[in-house]
Amino acid sequence: MKKQFLGKALALFEGFRKHKITTADLEAAELKAKNLDVRKEDFQILIAMCKDTFSGKYKMNKWNLSVIVATIVYVISPLDAIPDVIPVLGWVDDITIIGYAVAKLSEEILHYKLFRKQALVNQS
């Protein structure tokens, strides 16, 4: 059953990959993060990576950015494999997509965390 949802979620994810994200989308994503339980911190790091890339503070390739944008748009979109109006189950597909994105971006996330650590050191 889980594979069935993952397939639907990935198909929708591909459709969202080309969406141009807005500030309102990022704000909605931050509000939605509280529902993501074990993936909350992962989702928050994706949001931060997106914001820092758009502001020019952090550089990443377009493919990795598109994965992040698609993940954020998928999570905030009312159109997903399991509608979010269904408590708990509605977040399972979002959590699965975030897990997929984090797995695909693990090296980029490591680079970003080092970048943030260095930025904090430079501010001191």
Side-chain angles (χ1 to χ4, degrees):
M1 185 165 167
K2 203 173 194 181
K3 287 183 181 182
Q4 174 190 8
F5 293 127
L6 180 60
K8 287 180 182 180
L10 290 175
L12 286 169
F13 176 86
E14 188 60 31
F16 292 132
R17 191 171 57 84
K18 295 180 182 171
H19 177 82
K20 294 187 188 252
I21 200 160
T22 65
T23 303
D25 291 335
L26 293 171
E27 290 171 5
E30 288 174 338
L31 291 173
K32 187 104 181 220
K34 68 180 180 217
N35 300 325
L36 299 174
D37 196 32
V38 296
R39 290 292 181 189
K40 178 182 177 180
E41 288 180 23
D42 291 335
F43 191 56
Q44 289 171 326
I45 198 89
L46 295 178
I47 295 167
M49 290 172 74
C50 187
K51 286 181 173 181
D52 283 346
T53 301
F54 286 154
S55 71
K57 294 177 188 173
Y58 182 73
K59 305 280 186 228
M60 89 172 79
N61 69 46
K62 288 182 181 182
W63 173 255
N64 288 350
L65 182 58
S66 73
V67 170
I68 292 171
V69 168
T71 301
I72 292 169
V73 172
Y74 182 86
V75 169
I76 64 172
S77 174
L79 300 172
D80 52 23
I82 306 171
D84 292 346
V85 295
I86 301 170
V88 182
L89 279 179
W91 301 314
V92 169
D93 62 326
D94 295 343
I95 291 168
T96 303
I97 288 294
I98 293 166
Y100 174 80
V102 167
K104 290 293 182 187
L105 298 169
S106 60
E107 190 173 318
E108 187 72 52
I109 291 169
L110 178 61
H111 288 277
Y112 180 73
K113 286 179 178 180
L114 291 172
F115 160 80
R116 283 180 60 174
K117 192 175 194 178
Q118 186 62 42
L120 287 173
V121 168
N122 291 342
Q123 287 179 352
S124 299

